[in-house]
Amino acid sequence: KEEGLRARAEAAAAWIVPSENPGGMVYGAIIVGALLATESGQHETYTATVAATVVATLLSWLAHSYAVVLGRRLEGGQPVAGLALLRALVAERVLLRGTVVPLVILLGAWAAGIEEITGVTVAIWSVVASLVIFELIAGLRSHSSLRELIVDVTVGLTMGIGILVLKVVLH
């Protein structure tokens, strides 16, 4: 019975978190969480908040991909390759996947007519929850003991609390 439960949990984990470059997804979630924490409903409209979030997310993806390409060039003295940045953008696209949950929540709150500051707060909390879930998935994939899972979840929660602290400090 326990093996069946673990197998179902691992199948769900594989669906939620990609096996290829999962760190990029985590990075994307943290970026959008930190951005929303600094934003915290400062714009007068959802349109401005969503636009700022999407533009900053795309810029982060481009910057991260560019840094990967330039880093490789600096390490190996490689010349500029015409398609290197495009390949990096494709490889690092998983960063965008990490931003989906908070953006969908933000858009859903907007569609439901929820006050913007509340929608932003709920989206930030979704990032905190995502980080905890990512840690749980990592623990399941590494066959962690219950004690190790508790440590994993605590690490994710601590990172999420860091995002919440940023919100409190700035506002």
Side-chain angles (χ1 to χ4, degrees), residues 29-111:
I30 292 169
I31 286 171
V32 81
L35 174 72
L36 289 170
T38 58
E39 173 67 26
S40 289
Q42 293 300 306
H43 283 96
E44 294 180 13
T45 66
Y46 265 111
T47 303
T49 299
V50 170
T53 303
V54 169
V55 168
T57 297
L58 292 174
L59 184 58
S60 296
W61 172 49
L62 178 61
H64 180 69
S65 299
Y66 170 73
V68 166
V69 171
L70 183 55
R72 287 182 190 145
R73 290 184 54 229
L74 289 168
E75 283 177 350
Q78 300 170 352
V80 175
L83 294 177
L85 182 58
L86 181 59
R87 273 183 253 148
L89 286 166
V90 170
E92 300 300 326
R93 72 190 180 282
V94 73
L95 183 146
L96 299 174
R97 188 170 171 177
T99 68
V100 170
V101 169
L103 277 172
V104 166
I105 287 174
L106 191 62
L107 291 169
W110 183 10

Side-chain angles (χ1 to χ4, degrees), residues 3-26:
E3 283 184 28
L5 180 60
R6 183 176 275 278
R8 284 193 299 273
E10 288 176 2
W15 182 79
I16 295 169
V17 177
S19 58
E20 184 180 324
N21 191 14
M25 190 175 79
V26 174

